[in-house]
């Protein structure tokens, strides 16, 4: 799947965030990114913090295993998920549905 790339230490995921949504949710992949809706507003890093919390909780990771590596002020972001890449990819597929 083009929305994420695996290496020996985890996954790098391309995410497009839609803040101020009615619910927190991950939608099916689009082109080269994974759409994520968040209730949090894009103010003072609230949406970034909400994204990290949401992914950590949904994928059963600690917050320290989810790292925003680019796109801090943009809708398109790259997030690093630390752990077994096969297990993380499977967990993402299950989260997508």
């Amino acid at each position: 799947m083009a929305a994420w790339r695996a290496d020996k230490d985890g996954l790098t995921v391309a995410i497009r965030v839609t803040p101020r949504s009615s619910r927190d949710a991950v939608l099916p992949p689009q082109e080269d990114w994974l759409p994520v809706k968040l209730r949090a507003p894009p103010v003072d890093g609230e949406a970034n913090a909400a994204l990290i919390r949401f992914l950590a909780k949904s994928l059963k990771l600690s917050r320290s295993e989810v790292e925003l590596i680019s796109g801090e002020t943009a809708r398109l972001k790259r997030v690093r998920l630390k752990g077994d890449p096969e297990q993380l990819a499977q967990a993402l597929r299950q989260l997508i549905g």
Side-chain angles (χ1 to χ4, degrees):
M1 186 168 285
W4 60 78
R5 189 184 83 238
D7 60 37
K8 65 182 178 88
D9 299 322
L11 296 179
T12 301
V13 186
I15 294 176
R16 183 175 188 274
V17 172
T18 302
R20 291 194 176 136
S21 292
S22 60
R23 62 189 172 102
D24 293 340
V26 176
L27 304 175
Q30 303 290 318
E31 300 172 18
D32 294 336
W33 42 271
L34 192 63
V36 175
K37 291 186 172 196
L38 297 171
R39 291 184 300 233
V43 178
D44 296 328
E46 288 183 44
N48 291 335
L51 175 64
I52 290 171
R53 280 192 309 271
F54 174 68
L55 290 175
K57 183 178 180 181
S58 299
L59 300 172
K60 296 178 176 66
L61 298 171
S62 68
R63 288 186 198 170
S64 64
E65 293 174 313
V66 180
E67 177 185 7
L68 181 63
I69 56 175
S70 70
E72 187 173 315
T73 60
R75 284 186 178 216
L76 290 174
K77 303 177 183 300
R78 286 187 343 146
V79 175
R80 179 79 179 144
L81 304 176
K82 299 174 187 170
D84 180 86
E86 289 182 28
Q87 289 179 351
L88 290 169
Q90 181 179 2
L92 273 175
R93 284 187 207 98
Q94 288 176 346
L95 184 60
I96 293 166

